[in-house]
Amino acid sequence: MKLKNKILTSLLFVLTLFIWFPIVMLIGGAFMGSDEINRNVGPVLNQAQGMAGWSLLPQYPTLRPVVELLLDSPNFFVMFWNSCIQVLPVLIGQVLISVPAAWAFARYHFKGKNVLFTIYIILMVLPFQVTMVSSYLVLDWLKLIDTHLALILPNIFSTFPVFIMVKFFKAIPQSYLEAAKLDGANEWKLFLKIGLPSASSGILSIVILGFLEYWNAIEQPIVFLARRKDLWPLTLYLPDITGSRVGVAFAASVIIMIPALLLFLYGQQYLEQGIAASGLKE
Amino acid sequence: MVISMEKKIKKLIIGFFIMMVALTLLSRIAASAMVARVGVTTGQSGALAYEIDGTGVVNANAKKYIELQSGYEIGSVSVKEGQQVEKGDVLFTYDLEKLKEKKAGLELELQKLLFSYEKQQLADMDSSKGAEQAKNNAEEDLQLTQKELQDAKQTVKKNKEEALVTAKTAWEANVSSKNTAVKAADRAVADAEGELAELMKQQTTAQEVISNYKTAVMSGDNAAVTKAHDAIFEFYYDGKYSDHLQSIDEMKEKLKRAQEDLKDIQDKWDLAIDKWDQYSGDIKVKQAYNQQIMSRDIEIKSADRVIADIQLSIGKLTQKDTQLDQAITAYSSFLLQSITTYAGNVYDDLYKLLFDDLEAYEKKLSTAETKLDRAKEDSKQTTEDWNKKVAAAYTEVEKLETDLKHIKEGSYDYQQDLQDKETGLRAAERGLESAELGLEKADNTDKAAEIDLNSTGIDIKLKKQEINKLNKIIKNDGKINSPVSGAVQTVELEEGLTLSGQEKLVICTGGYELSMKAYKDAMKNFATGDEINIKTGEGQNKLSTTIENIEAADSEGNVSFTALLPEGEYTSGASLDFELKKNSEDYDMCLPIQALRQDKKSAFILIAKETDSVLGSVRTAFRLDVNVISQDANKAAVETSLSEEDLVIISSSKNISEGDRVSVTEGE
C-alpha cells in the first residue's frame, strides 16, 4: 500500500514539473545574457539558422536584463502605475457596490429579486467579447474611451463579486440575525456588525480574485485605450517588446508576476473560500 | 503561524511597492539624463550664395578668348594665327543662311515656349480663380444663411408677439365665455333648487299642519283644534277652503230651490188636474187628462233630475271633506286614546289624503331632486371644463410672455424654432471649410505650377537672349569683329565647320590678366562672363572684371581660370586677391549644412518627430533621406519629402541615430 502511495506521489511530482517548467524557464531567462538567449531562441525570433532550444539554468548568469528593465525602461514603470491606477479603484469600488448589493439579495425579499439575480448571473457568464461592441458604444457616448475610467467604471459594477458575496451572506444563520434583532440591532447594525465581519473572508476573496482578473486584463485595454499608449497597463508591455530585448521580456514577466503572486499567497485561504463559494474557477 | 506568514507577505507587498516607486524615479532620472538634447530648425526656401576667395597671379600678355557660339556654322575665316588685328576688324563670318535657319527654328521654339507659358498661366489662374471663387461663393452662402438665421430670429420674435396678442384675446374670450356658461349653469341649479324647495314646502306644510293638529288635540283646546282642523282643510284646498265651503253652500241653496221648484210643480199640477176626468166618458176629456198627467210627470222628472244633479255635485264636493274629517277624527281619536302604536298608520292615512296623488307628488319630488343633482353636476363640469380652457389659454399667454422676455434678454433658446436654419448654417459652414481646403490645395498646386512657370520663363528668357544675339550677328551679316587689338594667337576655325564648343580663337592683347585657381566643386557654380572682384594694393581698392576663360580640371581637381585686368599698372608675377560671388536660383528647400548627415547609403537628415508612446507624447529622431542639389558654405538645397513644419535636427548633445528619443532645446 505504502509502495503504491509512493509511486503515485512520485508520478504526481513528475506531473507538477510540467507546471513548474514555464516558471523556471521565465526566471532562468530573466538572468540570461542576450547572446545566450539569441542562441537559444534566435531561430524562432530572428529567423536564424538551426533549432530553438533552452537550458533550464543560464550558463553565464547576468543581471543585465533586470537592470535594463528596472533602470533603463521608464515605459515599464509608466505601465506598472497605469495598471495600479486601473485596478485599485476597481477593487475599492467593487467592495463599496457589490457588498451592499449582495446583502440586499441575500437578506431581503422584494418583487423581481429572482429575475434581477438571474440577469446578474447571465451578465456574469457573458464573456467580454460578447459585450465588447455595446460597451464600446456606451463608453464612446459617455466620452470615456481612451481614459482610465473606460476600464474602471464598467468593472466596478461587475456582477461576479455580487454573486460570491450573496453566497457568503446567505451562509449567515438566520437565528443569529434574529437574536441580534431581539437585542435591538437595526438593519444597518445587522449589516455592519454581523454581515461584514462574517463575510470578511468573502470580501478578501473578491478583492484577490478581482485583482488577478484586472491585473491580467488584456482585451479591455487594447479595445478601450487603443489610441492612448500612455494609458496602457503592464499586460501590454510584453507584446511591445522586440526580438532584441527578449531578456528584458523575461525580467518584466517576473516583475509582473510578483504582486499577483504575493497577493495570492497573502489571501490564499480566502481565495479558496471564494472559489468554493462561487463554484467556479477562473 | 499563518498570521505571521500573512504579516511577512504584507510587508513584502508594501516593500515591493516602495521599491517600484524608487525605481520609477530612478528610471525617470536615468532616462532624462540619457536623452539627447537637440537643436532644431525648419527647412526654408531660398537661394544659395556661392563664394570663392583666393589669390591669383598677374600675367603679362593677356589672352582674349573670343566667344564662339556652339552649333553655328562658320561661313569664312578672315584671320590667321600670328596676324595682327585692330579692334573692330572682322575675325570670321558665320554662314548667314544657316544663321537665318537657326533663327527661324529658335523663334519657333520661342513661340512654343510662349504658348506653353500662357497655358500654364491660364491653368494656374483657373485653378486658383476657381478655388477663390468657390471660397467666395461659400462665404456668401454662409453670410446669407447667417442673415436668414438672424431674420428668422426676428421673425420668431414677431410671430411670438402676434401669437401673444391672439393668445391674450383667446384667454379673455375664454374667461368671458366661462362666466356666461357658469352663470347659466348656476341659474339652472337655482331653478332646480327652487322647484325642489317648492315641492318640499308642500310636504313640510302638510307635516306641519298635521303636527299642529296633533298639538291642538293634545292640548285639549277645542278652539285650537278647530283652527288646526281648518288649517288642514286650508292646506288641502291650497288656501281656498272658504271658497270650497262657499261652493258647498251655493250648491245646497240650489238644491233647496230645486226642491221648492219640484213642490211648486206638484202643487200646480195638483190644482190643474181633476182626478175625475180619468173616469169621464168623454174621450176628449180623457185625452186631455192623460195629456196633463204626462206633462206633469215630465216636469216632475225634470225637476227631480236637477235635484239629483245638485245632490251629486254636493256629494262630490263634500266627499273629500268627509274622508278628511274621518281621517282627522280617527287620528284625533288615536291621539286621545294615546295608542301611539297605531298613530303611524292613521297619520299616514291622513297624510296621504292631503295630496290628491301622493305617488305622482313623490315622483315629481324625486324628479326635481334628480334634476337638481344633474344641474349641479352640469355646473361643476362646466366650471371645470372652462377652468381648464382658461388655464390652458393663460399658460399659452405666460409661455409666450416668457419667450418674449428671454428674446429681449437674449437668452432665448432658438433651437426649436431655428433647427432647420441652423442645419443650413452648419451645411454652409462645412461648405466654406471645404472651399478653404480646396483653396489651400489649389495654393499648393499653385506653388508647383509657379515653379514650372518660372522654369518656362527662364527658358523663354534664354531663348530670347539667344535670338537677340543671333539677330545682332545677322544684322552684322554674320560678321564677328575683334573686341580688342592684338595678335591672333590661336585660330581653330575653318570654313564650313560647325562649332562644337571646343574650338578656340585667342587674341593676345598685350595687356595683363589674372590667373587663378579654385577647386572644381566650388567652381562648378561659375561660368565665363561672371563678375569677379579683384583687390589691388593694401587699400580696399577693388577692380571689377569678368571671368575670361575657365580651363578643365587638372588631376588634383583644381580648375584654372583667368580674367582680363583693366588698363593700369601691374607687375607681372605679382599676387592679387580675388573674390567670386554669385547667388543661385531659388530652391524650394534649403537646410543648414549641419543638418546633413551621410552614411554608406545616402545623404540624410534626422527630424525630431512627435510620436505617441507609453511615456506620452515624445520626440524621436526620424531619418529622412535627401538628395543634395547644391550647397554653399552654410546651406544646402535639397530634394526631400520634408514639410515646412518638420523640425530638422542640426545639433545634439550626444551622438544620436534613428529611433533615439530626443529633447528639443527651446530657443534653438
Side-chain angles (χ1 to χ4, degrees):
Chain A
M1 195 66 185
K2 278 186 179 174
L3 186 68
K4 198 182 173 186
N5 270 348
K6 275 182 185 172
I7 292 168
L8 200 63
T9 311
S10 310
L11 193 69
L12 289 173
F13 184 76
V14 171
L15 284 176
T16 57
L17 286 181
F18 285 101
I19 297 166
W20 276 98
F21 185 72
I23 298 167
V24 175
M25 190 178 165
L26 202 68
I27 296 169
F31 296 100
M32 223 175 250
S34 56
D35 286 346
E36 197 179 342
I37 286 187
N38 278 333
R39 206 168 49 243
N40 284 333
V41 295
V44 179
L45 293 173
N46 301 332
Q47 276 98 42
Q49 291 290 320
M51 296 288 285
W54 196 262
S55 53
L56 272 183
L57 295 171
Q59 277 180 315
Y60 310 102
T62 172
L63 280 172
R64 198 177 175 80
V66 179
V67 172
E68 190 180 341
L69 176 78
L70 295 180
L71 295 177
D72 194 22
S73 303
N75 297 6
F76 177 78
F77 292 98
V78 170
M79 289 170 129
F80 174 83
W81 293 115
N82 282 343
S83 280
C84 293
I85 290 168
Q86 285 159 15
V87 172
L88 295 180
V90 171
L91 300 180
I92 295 167
Q94 277 191 350
V95 171
L96 291 177
I97 300 293
S98 65
V99 174
W103 179 254
F105 272 124
R107 291 278 306 130
Y108 301 128
H109 297 284
F110 51 87
K111 214 174 175 182
K113 181 176 120 173
N114 288 335
V115 175
L116 201 60
F117 198 67
T118 309
I119 293 171
Y120 257 68
I121 290 173
I122 291 169
L123 280 175
M124 187 179 77
V125 297
L126 286 181
F128 169 71
Q129 288 81 355
V130 174
T131 55
M132 181 175 77
V133 175
S134 48
S135 300
Y136 186 93
L137 293 175
V138 171
L139 289 168
D140 188 49
W141 182 70
L142 292 170
K143 309 252 182 280
L144 292 177
I145 287 291
D146 292 332
T147 66
H148 285 307
L149 283 175
L151 303 185
I152 295 169
L153 270 186
N155 290 336
I156 281 181
F157 297 98
S158 168
T159 52
F160 185 60
V162 179
F163 179 72
I164 291 185
M165 287 310 297
V166 167
K167 299 261 179 185
F168 274 94
F169 284 138
K170 275 191 174 165
I172 301 170
Q174 190 65 24
S175 55
Y176 186 26
L177 296 167
E178 278 167 8
K181 262 190 182 175
L182 285 176
D183 287 341
N186 58 19
E187 288 295 327
W188 187 241
K189 267 193 177 166
L190 285 182
F191 175 60
L192 288 179
K193 303 280 182 185
I194 295 175
L196 287 187
S198 307
S200 58
S201 58
I203 295 172
L204 267 171
S205 77
I206 61 166
V207 166
I208 292 162
L209 283 172
F211 182 86
L212 294 178
E213 187 181 348
Y214 303 122
W215 187 259
N216 297 324
I218 287 185
E219 295 104 325
Q220 277 176 304
I222 280 186
V223 177
F224 297 150
L225 302 176
R227 290 184 296 256
R228 287 287 300 273
K229 281 187 173 183
D230 55 321
L231 302 183
W232 281 7
L234 211 45
T235 41
L236 302 183
Y237 183 71
L238 294 179
D240 209 29
I241 275 192
T242 53
S244 60
R245 298 180 73 209
V246 185
V248 176
F250 280 112
S253 301
V254 172
I255 303 284
I256 293 167
M257 197 173 70
I258 289 174
L261 189 68
L262 287 175
L263 206 68
F264 173 77
L265 291 173
Y266 177 73
Q268 194 177 0
Q269 52 169 325
Y270 308 113
L271 191 66
E272 284 163 4
Q273 285 175 24
I275 292 169
S278 68
L280 295 171
K281 191 173 183 304
E282 282 291 293
Chain B
M1 184 67 185
V2 173
I3 292 170
S4 145
M5 180 61 102
E6 273 185 10
K7 275 186 179 171
K8 276 182 191 168
I9 295 172
K10 202 191 272 181
K11 278 181 186 170
L12 274 173
I13 291 173
I14 294 168
F16 174 77
F17 276 95
I18 292 171
M19 185 188 82
M20 290 308 277
V21 171
L23 287 171
T24 304
L25 292 173
L26 260 178
S27 70
R28 280 282 172 150
I29 293 165
S32 172
M34 284 164 76
V35 74
R37 284 171 179 72
V38 295
V40 292
T41 186
T42 53
Q44 283 166 345
S45 59
L48 300 176
Y50 305 121
E51 268 186 39
I52 299 177
D53 292 329
T55 307
V57 181
V58 177
N59 290 328
N61 207 7
K63 297 176 195 74
K64 174 71 185 170
Y65 288 81
I66 305 300
E67 189 183 358
L68 300 173
Q69 303 300 327
S70 175
Y72 290 16
E73 196 176 315
I74 302 295
S76 62
V77 182
S78 311
V79 291
K80 291 176 184 169
E81 282 179 6
Q83 186 181 332
Q84 196 71 31
V85 290
E86 294 298 319
K87 190 178 176 180
D89 286 353
V90 175
L91 295 174
F92 64 94
T93 312
Y94 287 116
D95 186 328
L96 199 58
E97 286 309 308
K98 290 280 166 65
L99 280 181
K100 284 178 182 171
E101 277 174 26
K102 190 155 187 74
K103 186 192 164 192
L106 282 173
E107 279 174 343
L108 204 65
E109 282 174 26
L110 176 66
Q111 200 61 43
K112 277 184 186 171
L113 280 172
L114 284 170
F115 282 142
S116 167
Y117 187 78
E118 204 171 341
K119 189 179 164 190
Q120 281 171 10
Q121 257 184 333
L122 281 172
D124 185 19
M125 209 181 286
D126 276 356
S127 97
S128 62
K129 234 186 199 174
E132 189 75 39
Q133 189 60 43
K135 194 198 163 193
N136 289 344
N137 288 346
E139 273 176 347
E140 245 171 58
D141 285 350
L142 182 63
Q143 280 169 3
L144 271 175
T145 321
Q146 279 170 340
K147 194 172 178 300
E148 270 179 25
L149 187 65
Q150 198 59 39
D151 290 350
K153 285 185 179 179
Q154 289 298 326
T155 314
V156 167
K157 193 186 170 195
K158 202 178 161 192
N159 288 345
K160 295 260 178 205
E161 282 169 349
E162 281 171 8
L164 180 63
V165 173
T166 315
K168 272 186 176 170
T169 314
W171 174 56
E172 282 162 5
N174 276 338
V175 170
S176 167
S177 301
K178 179 197 158 187
N179 290 340
T180 313
V182 169
K183 209 182 260 179
D186 286 348
R187 196 172 294 148
V189 172
D191 289 350
E193 275 174 346
E195 204 176 316
L196 183 64
E198 194 61 35
L199 286 169
M200 294 288 283
K201 195 180 166 191
Q202 284 184 30
Q203 197 180 24
T204 320
T205 316
Q207 286 164 352
E208 205 178 323
V209 291
I210 295 171
S211 172
N212 288 344
Y213 181 75
K214 185 185 170 185
T215 315
V217 170
M218 298 307 279
S219 68
D221 182 353
N222 285 333
V225 170
T226 309
K227 198 180 171 189
H229 175 271
D230 290 349
I232 290 172
F233 278 84
E234 199 68 49
F235 167 76
Y236 178 75
Y237 289 105
D238 203 11
K240 291 171 182 168
Y241 182 50
S242 51
D243 294 346
H244 172 69
L245 288 177
Q246 199 177 340
S247 301
I248 291 172
D249 288 345
E250 280 170 6
M251 279 299 167
K252 280 181 178 171
E253 188 63 30
K254 271 186 185 172
L255 182 63
K256 197 180 161 191
R257 279 182 205 152
Q259 283 169 340
E260 283 171 2
D261 288 345
L262 178 62
K263 200 174 174 280
D264 288 344
I265 290 166
Q266 281 174 339
D267 289 346
K268 182 183 86 176
W269 283 108
D270 283 346
L271 283 174
I273 296 170
D274 183 1
K275 284 180 184 177
W276 297 106
D277 287 348
Q278 62 180 314
Y279 305 114
S280 169
D282 189 352
I283 292 168
K284 283 186 181 176
V285 174
K286 227 178 176 174
Q287 279 178 340
Y289 175 77
N290 286 337
Q291 188 73 36
Q292 282 176 328
I293 290 296
M294 204 162 68
S295 297
R296 183 198 70 177
D297 289 346
I298 290 169
E299 279 185 25
I300 287 171
K301 196 178 176 183
S302 174
D304 279 344
R305 199 171 288 156
V306 170
I307 289 167
D309 285 347
I310 292 168
Q311 279 174 335
L312 192 68
S313 294
I314 289 171
K316 270 185 188 170
L317 279 171
T318 55
Q319 187 191 3
K320 193 76 186 182
D321 295 355
T322 315
Q323 284 173 349
L324 271 174
D325 270 334
Q326 283 171 356
I328 289 167
T329 312
Y331 184 55
S332 163
S333 305
F334 282 116
L335 285 174
L336 290 171
Q337 287 168 20
S338 302
I339 308 170
T340 47
T341 45
Y342 295 107
N345 288 336
V346 181
Y347 177 89
D348 287 348
D349 291 342
L350 177 59
Y351 181 78
K352 271 181 197 167
L353 280 174
L354 287 178
F355 295 93
D356 284 334
D357 188 349
L358 183 64
E359 211 171 299
Y361 168 76
E362 280 177 345
K363 208 172 172 184
K364 231 177 179 180
L365 194 67
S366 163
T367 310
E369 279 172 349
T370 313
K371 200 176 165 189
L372 177 63
D373 286 345
R374 282 186 189 159
K376 277 183 178 171
E377 272 172 25
D378 287 350
S379 168
K380 196 181 165 194
Q381 190 62 42
T382 308
T383 313
E384 276 176 10
D385 287 351
W386 279 105
N387 278 346
K388 271 183 197 167
K389 280 182 190 172
V390 170
Y394 187 67
T395 311
E396 183 62 23
V397 170
E398 270 189 333
K399 188 180 171 289
L400 288 166
E401 279 178 344
T402 315
D403 285 351
L404 280 168
K405 191 182 161 201
H406 285 163
I407 288 172
K408 202 176 172 187
E409 288 169 355
S411 60
Y412 180 71
D413 182 9
Y414 285 94
Q415 204 174 353
Q416 286 290 324
D417 307 276
L418 307 175
Q419 209 162 18
D420 287 349
K421 298 285 175 195
E422 279 178 354
T423 310
L425 183 66
R426 275 196 290 278
E429 281 171 349
R430 275 199 293 274
L432 180 61
E433 272 171 29
S434 165
E436 278 173 348
L437 273 175
L439 186 62
E440 203 175 305
K441 206 171 166 187
D443 282 347
N444 287 337
T445 316
D446 282 357
K447 275 183 190 168
E450 201 183 322
I451 292 167
D452 287 347
L453 204 64
N454 287 343
S455 165
T456 315
I458 291 166
D459 287 347
I460 290 170
K461 197 176 161 190
L462 289 173
K463 210 57 86 179
K464 278 182 178 170
Q465 280 174 356
E466 199 175 347
I467 291 171
N468 283 341
K469 209 179 268 177
L470 203 54
N471 276 336
K472 274 185 191 169
I473 297 169
I474 291 170
K475 206 176 171 185
N476 205 24
D477 296 329
K479 291 173 186 166
I480 299 298
N481 301 103
S482 175
V484 290
S485 301
V488 177
Q489 190 198 36
T490 311
V491 182
E492 293 176 350
L493 308 177
E494 57 187 53
E495 193 179 329
L497 175 76
T498 303
L499 296 172
S500 66
Q502 299 297 317
E503 299 82 4
K504 284 178 181 168
L505 174 55
V506 183
I507 299 169
C508 291
T509 64
Y512 291 91
E513 67 177 11
L514 189 67
S515 180
M516 299 156 282
K517 275 187 178 178
Y519 192 64
K520 62 178 178 184
D521 282 352
M523 204 52 207
K524 71 180 177 188
N525 300 311
F526 295 92
T528 53
D530 284 347
E531 192 179 345
I532 181 165
N533 292 315
I534 297 166
K535 289 180 190 168
T536 55
E538 293 294 315
Q540 291 300 311
N541 294 335
K542 277 185 183 176
L543 294 172
S544 184
T545 179
T546 56
I547 296 175
E548 185 62 37
N549 177 44
I550 299 173
E551 297 288 333
D554 62 18
S555 57
E556 289 172 0
N558 289 319
V559 175
S560 298
F561 59 102
T562 58
L564 294 180
L565 290 169
E567 283 184 13
E569 286 184 9
Y570 305 100
T571 312
S572 184
S575 296
L576 290 177
D577 291 339
F578 70 93
E579 191 181 65
L580 267 172
K581 274 186 181 174
K582 188 180 179 184
N583 282 338
S584 72
E585 56 179 292
D586 276 353
Y587 292 104
D588 289 336
M589 184 59 66
C590 293
L591 292 171
I593 289 286
Q594 303 93 302
L596 293 179
R597 293 155 203 268
Q598 181 79 42
D599 66 2
K600 285 176 190 169
K601 284 198 286 181
S602 65
F604 67 95
I605 55 171
L606 290 175
I607 59 173
K609 196 170 185 180
E610 201 167 63
T611 49
D612 286 330
S613 79
V614 173
L615 294 173
S617 182
V618 293
R619 286 192 183 275
T620 47
F622 181 81
R623 176 184 169 133
L624 206 61
D625 285 343
V626 294
N627 176 30
V628 180
I629 306 167
S630 183
Q631 66 182 72
D632 63 16
N634 303 313
K635 288 190 291 181
V638 294
E639 273 179 349
T640 176
S641 55
L642 190 72
S643 78
E644 284 180 4
E645 288 82 33
D646 285 333
L647 299 178
V648 182
I649 297 173
I650 51 168
S651 64
S652 172
S653 60
K654 290 193 172 88
N655 275 335
I656 51 170
S657 55
E658 187 182 17
D660 286 349
R661 206 152 67 83
V662 295
S663 158
V664 174
T665 315
E666 297 295 329
E668 283 278 348

